[in-house]
Amino acid sequence: MRDKLVGAILDGTKTSTTSMVMEYEVEDEAFPRTGTRQVVVDSFNRAVAVIETMDVQRVRLGAVPWEHARDEGEGYSSVSEWRVGHEHFWHSAEMRICLGCHIHGERWHSCGPGAVPSRYCALEVSVAMMQTDRTVKDSQPASKRRVYQWAG
């Protein structure tokens, strides 16, 4: 799955992503900001691209529009199908372990929890960066720089 999503970033199909507010709270991480650059890594943990955040919002899940869902490049045919797929992922055992929580009976419907939809553009990556696996320098300290690694 990771390489499929990374490929979609590289070919321009994937230009948006959505996180949960809870992810940032649990990881004590700052919300993304417009202009922030982040490294995208493949399944071999190699830096393959740098993305720059162009727009970020904090909304309830039900307020994420179809255009944003479509631009995630995952092939959903409607925003409701996208929501179901994302709720399924966010309720997965893998995600619960990642967040260090066990949610029993709670469902994240359109009224909550908060979603963080963001849009980005892929920037060209130099051969040197891909060979040395260096991270991009930006205004955030390295410890707070979000590196996208999609599980697969």
Side-chain angles (χ1 to χ4, degrees):
M1 176 65 117
R2 179 187 305 178
D3 288 334
K4 177 183 175 189
L5 294 174
V6 167
I9 290 170
L10 297 177
D11 72 16
T13 306
K14 182 170 179 61
T15 59
S16 69
T17 193
T18 307
S19 303
M20 292 187 310
V21 169
M22 182 186 297
E23 292 177 66
Y24 295 96
E25 292 171 347
V26 167
E27 296 174 9
D28 194 28
E29 185 175 331
F31 286 95
R33 300 181 319 265
T34 300
T36 301
R37 292 181 177 184
Q38 302 146 342
V39 177
V40 177
V41 297
D42 66 10
S43 60
F44 295 104
N45 210 32
R46 295 178 301 206
V48 295
V50 175
I51 57 175
E52 181 174 336
T53 302
M54 306 306 289
D55 179 62
V56 64
Q57 300 175 19
R58 185 174 174 172
V59 301
R60 59 186 184 80
L61 184 60
V64 175
W66 163 240
E67 295 78 17
H68 180 86
R70 178 198 61 217
D71 293 346
E72 284 202 19
E74 297 177 36
Y76 293 110
S77 60
S78 69
V79 71
S80 59
E81 182 184 4
W82 172 87
R83 281 189 198 110
V84 168
H86 278 67
E87 286 187 7
H88 178 74
F89 170 73
W90 288 330
H91 279 281
S92 68
E94 176 186 11
M95 193 65 173
R96 290 174 193 228
I97 290 168
C98 179
L99 295 175
C101 64
H102 303 281
I103 301 169
H104 299 286
E106 181 181 346
R107 298 302 298 179
W108 298 315
H109 293 293
S110 60
C111 59
V116 183
S118 58
R119 292 193 168 280
Y120 52 82
C121 66
L123 305 176
E124 192 168 334
V125 179
S126 71
V127 174
M129 180 183 173
M130 292 178 73
Q131 291 173 345
T132 62
D133 203 23
R134 285 182 272 166
T135 58
V136 66
K137 295 183 190 272
D138 67 7
S139 58
Q140 291 184 332
S143 62
K144 294 294 182 182
R145 197 171 294 130
R146 193 168 183 87
V147 177
Y148 286 91
Q149 299 182 29
W150 286 276

